[in-house]
Amino acid sequence: MAKKDTFEIKTIALGLIDRPIEPDRMSIDPDYIEELSKSISEIGLMNPIGLRPVNGRFEIVDGDRRFLAIQKLGIKEIKARVLHLD
């Protein structure tokens, strides 16, 4: 669990972000990702994804579907919450 106020907002290259080792969803609806991509394209990313540092890279802990939607748009870097977990 993250401690209170133990994160920072950073701009991270998508190439440094890895999907979760243990995803919280068994399957992801491609139509939803398409819809989410369209929304992000029109209004931007309203809620940054959450990442944890792992060996010079970052693993997604919150926002896997948002990551996939951003990736689909061809965006090269995003602002994300980098969590400092125990």
Side-chain angles (χ1 to χ4, degrees):
M1 273 316 233
K3 295 179 185 175
K4 186 177 179 187
D5 298 324
T6 58
F7 71 90
E8 53 191 316
I9 301 292
K10 288 188 169 185
T11 300
I12 307 291
L14 257 61
L16 292 176
I17 299 173
D18 298 318
R19 295 195 57 214
I21 293 170
E22 295 182 26
D24 61 346
R25 288 178 168 68
M26 295 303 290
S27 66
I28 295 177
D29 180 0
D31 292 334
Y32 179 80
I33 300 301
E34 183 67 37
E35 207 173 292
L36 188 54
S37 291
K38 186 183 262 187
S39 173
I40 291 169
S41 175
E42 292 172 1
I43 62 173
L45 182 63
M46 302 301 290
N47 186 18
I49 67 173
L51 307 173
R52 72 181 183 108
V54 178
N55 300 322
R57 295 183 59 80
F58 298 90
E59 180 185 359
I60 298 170
V61 294
D62 176 39
D64 189 33
R65 293 183 301 173
R66 284 174 277 156
F67 172 75
L68 293 173
I70 291 163
Q71 206 174 36
K72 184 174 183 70
L73 291 169
I75 295 171
K76 301 294 182 206
E77 60 183 26
I78 60 167
K79 288 192 178 187
R81 284 177 292 124
V82 177
L83 306 164
H84 303 286
L85 305 172
D86 291 339

